[in-house]
Amino acid sequence: MQTGEHKPPFLFLCYNHAQIKVQIKPEGIQKVSNAVLEVKNPYLAEVIEKTKAKNANEPEFIQAMEEVLSTIEPVVDKHKDEYQKNALLERLVEPERVISFRVPWIDDKGQVQVNRGYRVQFNGSIGPYKGGLRFHPSVNQSILKFLGFEQIFKNALTGLPIGGGKGGSDFDPKGKSDNEVMRFCQSFMNELQKHIGQDVDVPAGDIGVGAREIGYLFGQYRKIRNVYEAGVLTGKGLEYGGSLARKEATGYGLMYFMREMLKEHKIELNGKTAIISGSGNVAIYAAEKAAEYGIKVVAMSDSSGCVYDKDGINIETVKFIKEIERGRIKEYVEQHKGAEYFENDGSVPPIYKIKADIILPCATQNDINLETAKILVANGAIAVGEGANMPTTPDAINYFLENGVLFAPGKAANAGGVATSALEMVQNSMRFYWSYEEVNQKLDIIMTKIFARCKASAYEYGVKDNYVAGANIAAFRKIARAMKAQGII
Ligand code: NDP
Ligand code: 2IT
């Protein structure tokens, strides 16, 4: 990997609006081992093949499973007989429980609507199932199984006692009134409450689920169960059991991880440029912390398009549009006349054609494919930090690693959100609150340690600087030990 400040020479302009320059490959960058590797261990190869066959209609789950399993081969090599005898990998890829249920609700016109709700309780070996709820029309079992699977490893990396789970619905909160959202959340909780509890399973937010939805869900849980069990959900409002700094935690945590990773490679954050896909909870607070570190965030997006502001995105404007008005990112240009808006056209999202040093995908899965990765590398990207879950396809990750781009995998880099959720649970159990500074400092320490774990495991297993493998190995070793200790269950 490179040492010293990264100052690549630039060749030519290639994108009309954004002064994009193509970079000559800097000296000193060496090839890093790939993220998704060809597996030689026969037991591991067999588990991967059988899992693919058994879940053939779940492409996102297969993608997440294959990435993890292919990178833990050196650990499996060491423990092959033990894992095989106990079917440890076969048990790891099978959720402990998948719950799917009907969610009927009445819209503002009096019409009954029906959505499908889910909770995937994937692995509870190191603590109560923990993970967000996603409300988005694309939600299906494959997506929630990939998210639940990722969550097992992410939660293990935090060092806190939380197992892995995920849930959600194909309900689309966009364009719905507050009352419709409330009625949906109440109906969703009517069923979900049978399966959760502060020591059982603790949901939180994700795409489409923020403070408003958590409030309605918590209210219905309290009404049905007649108990003030604050720790049953996280991401709550500050008035009723929420934690200071939870809202900021995923985005800030991402930047703490990036700070550590770039420091390791002797690269200054100050003075760099960044693009951040998405403009939701994770993107907004990643942008805020990036600006604090002296990084100029030049573009942000939503699912319709992106805004480019060469002077740096004004994050207060984005917060107002997104958090207060629930509007679209294109409204940004009405308030910042120098800024430009580019609509998606179905090919490479326009945000990824804008030149920047640091790339922070904070929207959704499989946002950056190989074609996009090639553009980003050609435009001189130094580092990618996944604020979203699995925003980069495996071939794109490999391309980044092969081209010396530092890569921070989501399950490590975006773990600050769930880690702070666990800190919210701690405060709920104590019936006491920490100050903003206390929570934020704990978050910083947790993210710093996560980076150290990824680095140490990558080094120990001969894949130095490959933090994808490092994160998977560090997390897997802990989960494997916990599963083994608890017998065949
Ligand atoms: P929000 O709902 O707050 O924001 C989501 C953002 O991503 C919006 O800008 C949205 O645009 C965009 N987006 C969503 N779906 C798509 C899509 N299919 N194509 C393009 N853009 C899309 O969610 P979060 O910020 O909470 O979550 C963002 C990512 O971070 C997700 O991958 C989530 O799993 C992950 N994450 C979240 C954590 C948290 O604490 N919230 C913790 C760790 C990871 P639009 O409004 O147009 O839909
Ligand atoms: O993907 C994630 O880690 C989250 N959406 C946060 C989960 C949580 O329980 O806070």
Side-chain angles (χ1 to χ4, degrees):
M1 267 293 161
Q2 74 233 65
T3 51
E5 175 62 352
H6 185 102
K7 280 198 186 113
F10 292 110
L11 279 182
F12 54 84
L13 295 174
C14 68
Y15 200 66
N16 53 10
H17 68 278
Q19 289 259 312
I20 295 174
K21 298 168 184 176
V22 171
Q23 164 202 340
I24 302 170
K25 193 169 170 12
E27 283 171 33
I29 292 186
Q30 283 148 33
K31 190 175 162 163
V32 178
S33 57
N34 281 356
V36 176
L37 304 163
E38 206 159 305
V39 169
K40 296 190 190 74
N41 182 304
Y43 166 54
L44 188 56
E46 191 192 332
V47 174
I48 293 175
E49 283 320 307
K50 280 190 172 160
T51 309
K52 282 166 107 169
K54 205 168 172 179
N55 301 278
N57 57 348
E58 295 183 350
E60 292 87 0
F61 171 60
I62 288 174
Q63 183 182 332
M65 175 279 300
E66 204 170 10
E67 181 212 283
V68 170
L69 263 54
S70 74
T71 51
I72 59 169
E73 186 163 25
V75 189
V76 177
D77 282 343
K78 268 195 184 168
H79 300 271
K80 188 178 94 31
D81 294 343
E82 170 200 327
Y83 290 170
Q84 193 161 12
K85 185 160 171 269
N86 295 318
L88 190 117
L89 298 179
E90 291 89 331
R91 286 188 288 133
L92 182 72
V93 297
E94 194 63 37
E96 291 182 11
R97 199 170 295 104
V98 178
I99 302 146
S100 160
F101 50 95
R102 178 208 297 159
V103 190
W105 57 281
I106 301 174
D107 70 17
D108 286 346
K109 296 189 190 102
Q111 175 63 48
V112 176
Q113 303 286 345
V114 182
N115 286 97
R116 187 172 289 174
Y118 298 91
R119 188 71 184 167
V120 178
Q121 299 179 330
F122 220 120
N123 191 309
S125 60
I126 62 175
Y129 310 110
K130 181 82 195 88
L133 296 171
R134 176 176 292 190
F135 292 169
H136 192 273
S138 63
V139 162
N140 58 32
Q141 186 167 301
S142 171
I143 287 178
L144 294 180
K145 275 179 66 181
F146 115 63
L147 288 164
F149 188 71
E150 289 280 297
Q151 201 82 44
I152 309 169
F153 301 88
K154 183 193 306 195
N155 294 4
L157 283 172
T158 66
L160 299 166
I162 39 179
K166 199 85 187 189
S169 173
D170 57 2
F171 173 74
D172 185 0
K174 269 198 210 101
K176 305 289 190 300
S177 70
D178 280 354
N179 278 333
E180 288 176 322
V181 170
M182 181 180 73
R183 288 193 293 271
F184 173 80
C185 288
Q186 290 174 339
S187 179
F188 186 83
M189 186 51 87
N190 287 345
E191 178 62 31
L192 188 69
Q193 57 91 18
K194 298 173 190 165
H195 311 285
I196 63 174
Q198 64 181 7
D199 297 317
V200 179
D201 182 355
V202 182
D206 192 80
I207 291 177
V209 178
R212 173 181 62 169
E213 290 75 16
I214 293 292
Y216 295 143
L217 291 164
F218 185 73
Q220 189 72 353
Y221 184 85
R222 194 170 71 74
K223 184 172 171 70
I224 298 172
R225 301 284 280 257
N226 193 27
V227 60
Y228 207 102
E229 191 186 330
V232 69
L233 289 168
T234 60
K236 297 181 292 296
L238 297 177
E239 307 78 11
Y240 65 94
S243 174
L244 289 160
R246 172 61 186 90
K247 184 176 68 176
E248 295 84 353
T250 312
Y252 280 19
L254 170 65
M255 293 314 300
Y256 297 151
F257 189 98
M258 295 302 281
R259 179 196 66 205
E260 292 304 302
M261 184 174 77
L262 268 67
K263 192 164 78 190
E264 170 70 17
H265 296 273
K266 301 188 173 51
I267 301 170
E268 274 275 324
L269 289 176
N270 190 20
K272 296 288 183 294
T273 53
I275 52 178
I276 303 186
S277 77
S279 47
N281 174 259
V282 180
I284 286 174
Y285 292 96
E288 189 168 272
K289 186 55 77 179
E292 234 179 273
Y293 283 155
I295 296 168
K296 185 156 81 171
V297 178
V298 292
M300 292 180 75
S301 66
D302 58 23
S303 59
S304 310
C306 79
V307 288
Y308 168 71
D309 189 338
K310 65 178 182 343
D311 301 325
I313 295 277
N314 182 319
I315 197 63
E316 292 309 317
T317 306
V318 178
K319 276 189 191 174
F320 181 77
I321 294 169
K322 289 289 177 176
E323 293 185 337
I324 313 281
E325 296 201 310
R326 294 183 181 276
R328 308 299 300 158
I329 197 71
K330 74 171 170 209
E331 291 160 32
Y332 182 93
V333 297
E334 289 160 21
Q335 295 180 51
H336 298 275
K337 294 297 175 207
E340 294 170 83
Y341 176 71
F342 300 94
E343 188 95 8
N344 289 348
D345 63 6
S347 65
V348 173
I351 189 164
Y352 294 123
K353 296 178 186 165
I354 296 170
K355 182 197 144 37
D357 302 310
I358 298 172
I359 316 302
L360 301 170
C362 294
T364 194
Q365 64 273 0
N366 293 332
D367 201 13
I368 299 179
N369 61 18
L370 182 60
E371 186 188 358
T372 302
K374 285 182 177 168
I375 294 171
L376 292 168
V377 169
N379 282 335
I382 300 169
V384 177
E386 294 189 319
N389 286 308
M390 207 170 77
T392 318
T393 61
D395 50 359
I397 299 177
N398 286 346
Y399 191 79
F400 285 131
L401 294 178
E402 283 164 6
N403 285 278
V405 176
L406 293 171
F407 190 86
K411 64 170 76 65
N414 73 35
V418 74
T420 308
S421 278
L423 299 179
E424 184 173 330
M425 292 162 70
V426 175
Q427 294 169 84
N428 295 151
S429 295
M430 289 196 296
R431 296 169 192 270
F432 187 69
Y433 293 110
W434 289 316
S435 67
Y436 176 88
E437 289 71 26
E438 282 172 299
V439 181
N440 191 29
Q441 193 191 25
K442 289 184 201 312
L443 168 65
D444 194 335
I445 292 169
I446 290 167
M447 296 311 297
T448 303
K449 282 188 182 164
I450 293 176
F451 176 72
R453 284 186 191 113
C454 297
K455 177 183 146 185
S457 291
Y459 188 80
E460 188 183 338
Y461 283 87
V463 283
K464 187 170 175 291
D465 300 334
N466 182 340
Y467 302 115
V468 179
N472 290 339
I473 290 170
F476 171 73
R477 290 178 67 198
K478 178 174 179 180
I479 297 151
R481 285 196 300 267
M483 287 178 70
K484 181 176 175 238
Q486 292 172 34
I488 307 304
I489 54 166

